[in-house]
């Protein structure tokens, strides 16, 4: 009865847009029967973002005939790409794109933002930053036209990441800061946490922020999702290596590895491996470094070209 009351008081769509993914999954796990059919897409997207990909896909396929929800579909595609499930992500995105092109309905028109954003997200993860920025700019233009805060958060976030990767650091940081300010107004705690972390990592990488501030971000429990926390830990390893604290870097690696294994993110595991291999190399164990890099390379695909460049570059150096 308590769960039913909660569901009636606050719509699952509203909870999802506030970034309360864990709460939605808990409600579903406790009493799936209490979740209305029309709300199941939000549960599916939440499951995907919490790393429960197989359950999310099964639920999304059941709910799709009941009515298409572009926001939920977008987040499922995001989760698939993060987990390097490229074939599944491609199939979902192709279907999404085809449906948005073939229909003139209000839903189809509204879904185009999320199609553009998904195309940009995929291009970013594949290391095609110029192409990603193209799609991010198209999505951003639609977001400005519609006035949707959620859409502005997503597109400004992606634009910022692209610009930082392309060397336009100041402009990229401004875009990330803009996304964070909008997220605060919108009240999405998940986006706020992720954007705070993204800004901290980018600023640390370019000398604007210290590693102590990264540690504070974790210590203050600002990070509510494992994916974001793992990114902060990976940057902390890099910072320790830059300071020549290789054994401390390896301690953080050992701390972080179980977290990434649990959420099944192959790219993050490879990124962590590059930093682990560098620590061993600098400590004089080139053999161990090459073993780690070889194992990391096997887990990656050609689409993971950005991280593959890091792996190959360090192999050459060792």
């Amino acid at each position: 009865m308590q769960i039913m009351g909660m569901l009636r008081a606050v719509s699952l769509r509203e909870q999802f847009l506030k970034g309360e993914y864990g709460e939605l999954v808990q409600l579903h796990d406790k009493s799936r029967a209490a979740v209305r059919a029309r709300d199941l897409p939000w549960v599916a997207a939440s499951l995907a973002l919490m790393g429960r990909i197989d359950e999310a896909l099964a639920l999304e396929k059941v709910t799709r005939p009941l009515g298409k929800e572009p926001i939920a579909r977008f987040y499922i595609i995001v989760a698939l790409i993060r987990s390097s499930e490229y074939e599944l992500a491609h199939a979902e995105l192709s279907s999404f794109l085809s449906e948005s092109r073939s229909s003139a309905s209000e839903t189809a028109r509204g879904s185009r933002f999320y199609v553009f954003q998904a195309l940009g997200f995929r291009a970013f993860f594949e290391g095609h930053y110029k192409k990603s920025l193209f799609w991010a700019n198209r999505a951003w233009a639609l977001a400005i036209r519609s006035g949707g805060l959620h859409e502005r958060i997503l597109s400004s976030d992606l634009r910022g990441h692209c610009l930082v990767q392309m060397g336009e650091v100041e402009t990229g940081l401004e875009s990330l800061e803009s996304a964070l300010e909008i997220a605060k107004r919108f009240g999405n705690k998940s986006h706020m946490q992720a954007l705070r972390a993204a800004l901290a990592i980018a600023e640390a990488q370019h000398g604007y922020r210290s590693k102590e501030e990264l540690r504070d971000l974790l210590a203050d429990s600002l990070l509510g999702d494992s994916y974001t926390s793992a990114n902060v830990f990976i940057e902390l390893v890099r910072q320790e290596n830059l300071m020549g604290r290789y054994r401390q870097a390896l301690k953080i690696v050992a701390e972080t590895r179980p977290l990434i294994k649990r959420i099944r993110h192959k790219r993050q595991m490879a990124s962590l491996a590059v930093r682990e291999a560098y620590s061993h190399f600098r400590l004089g164990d080139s053999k161990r470094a090459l073993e780690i890099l070889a194992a990391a390379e096997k887990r990656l695909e050609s689409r993971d070209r950005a991280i593959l460049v890091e792996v190959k570059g360090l192999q050459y150096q060792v």
Side-chain angles (χ1 to χ4, degrees):
M1 288 298 292
Q2 185 180 7
I3 292 172
M4 286 294 288
M6 290 173 68
L7 289 172
R8 281 194 292 268
V10 181
S11 77
L12 268 64
R13 182 181 192 278
E14 183 181 339
Q15 281 190 271
F16 184 87
L17 292 177
K18 295 294 183 185
E20 297 174 1
Y21 314 132
E23 290 89 335
L24 287 181
V25 169
Q26 282 184 346
L27 288 173
H28 172 261
D29 289 346
K30 287 179 181 176
S31 179
R32 177 173 171 178
V35 182
R36 295 168 297 188
R38 70 185 187 193
D39 286 327
L40 287 174
W42 306 110
V43 175
S46 298
L47 285 165
L49 288 169
M50 298 295 286
R52 292 163 62 173
I53 302 292
D54 296 336
E55 292 172 78
L57 285 172
L59 193 55
E60 197 266 345
K61 284 180 171 59
V62 169
T63 61
R64 196 181 297 179
L66 300 173
K68 299 175 178 62
E69 179 44 70
I71 304 176
R73 291 186 73 183
F74 164 74
Y75 277 104
I76 288 172
I77 291 167
V78 164
L80 288 169
I81 294 170
R82 279 182 173 179
S83 301
S84 300
E85 297 285 355
Y86 291 120
E87 295 306 318
L88 283 172
H90 178 73
E92 288 288 317
L93 184 49
S94 295
S95 170
F96 198 12
L97 179 60
S98 175
E99 288 165 15
S100 73
R101 283 174 170 169
S102 63
S103 175
S105 70
E106 191 65 32
T107 300
R109 285 196 297 274
S111 74
R112 280 174 196 142
F113 167 86
Y114 292 98
V115 170
F116 293 163
Q117 190 71 16
L119 288 166
F121 191 84
R122 181 178 68 178
F124 184 88
F125 262 69
E126 293 180 356
H128 300 292
Y129 302 124
K130 189 175 180 180
K131 183 189 291 186
S132 179
L133 183 60
F134 168 80
W135 289 115
N137 282 334
R138 290 196 68 180
W140 185 73
L142 287 179
I144 295 299
R145 196 179 309 156
S146 72
L149 292 181
H150 184 247
E151 289 82 358
R152 286 175 62 190
I153 294 166
L154 293 175
S155 53
S156 296
D157 182 5
L158 183 56
R159 287 179 78 240
H161 277 89
C162 292
L163 289 165
V164 168
Q165 290 296 328
M166 294 169 69
E168 296 183 42
V169 179
E170 295 291 343
T171 308
L173 291 175
E174 286 174 9
S175 188
L176 289 172
E177 286 167 359
S178 173
L180 177 57
E181 288 307 308
I182 299 167
K184 288 176 182 176
R185 283 163 51 198
F186 190 63
N188 185 304
K189 64 178 184 179
S190 180
H191 283 308
M192 283 190 278
Q193 290 162 354
L195 283 160
R196 284 190 184 114
L199 275 164
I201 290 169
E203 288 171 350
Q205 287 173 342
H206 294 90
Y208 299 119
R209 193 180 293 221
S210 68
K211 69 175 184 180
E212 284 72 23
E213 290 175 277
L214 288 176
R215 289 188 181 280
D216 290 343
L217 202 60
L218 292 168
D220 292 343
S221 300
L222 290 174
L223 307 183
D225 71 271
S226 300
Y227 180 81
T228 299
S229 297
N231 280 337
V232 175
F233 276 121
I234 289 167
E235 178 57 24
L236 276 171
V237 176
R238 194 184 79 89
Q239 292 291 325
E240 295 291 359
N241 278 336
L242 285 173
M243 296 182 69
R245 293 164 52 89
Y246 307 119
R247 296 191 190 283
Q248 179 60 28
L250 290 173
K251 287 181 182 177
I252 301 172
V253 168
E255 213 178 318
T256 310
R257 188 181 290 112
L259 171 66
I260 299 176
K261 280 185 176 178
R262 189 169 68 248
I263 56 179
R264 296 165 52 188
H265 288 154
K266 299 174 190 175
R267 287 169 48 87
Q268 283 185 323
M269 187 60 77
S271 187
L272 185 69
V274 169
R275 286 142 184 80
E276 180 185 12
Y278 183 80
S279 300
H280 284 291
F281 168 56
R282 298 295 292 176
L283 287 167
D285 194 347
S286 296
K287 181 182 176 183
R288 179 65 183 139
L290 289 171
E291 288 172 350
I292 292 167
L293 291 170
E297 187 177 4
K298 285 180 182 177
R299 286 194 293 267
L300 296 171
E301 300 180 28
S302 59
R303 293 173 180 176
D304 297 312
R305 68 176 198 160
I307 186 64
L308 276 169
V309 167
E310 288 190 51
V311 172
K312 290 288 189 183
L314 187 54
Q315 284 175 328
Y316 182 77
Q317 186 179 353
V318 175

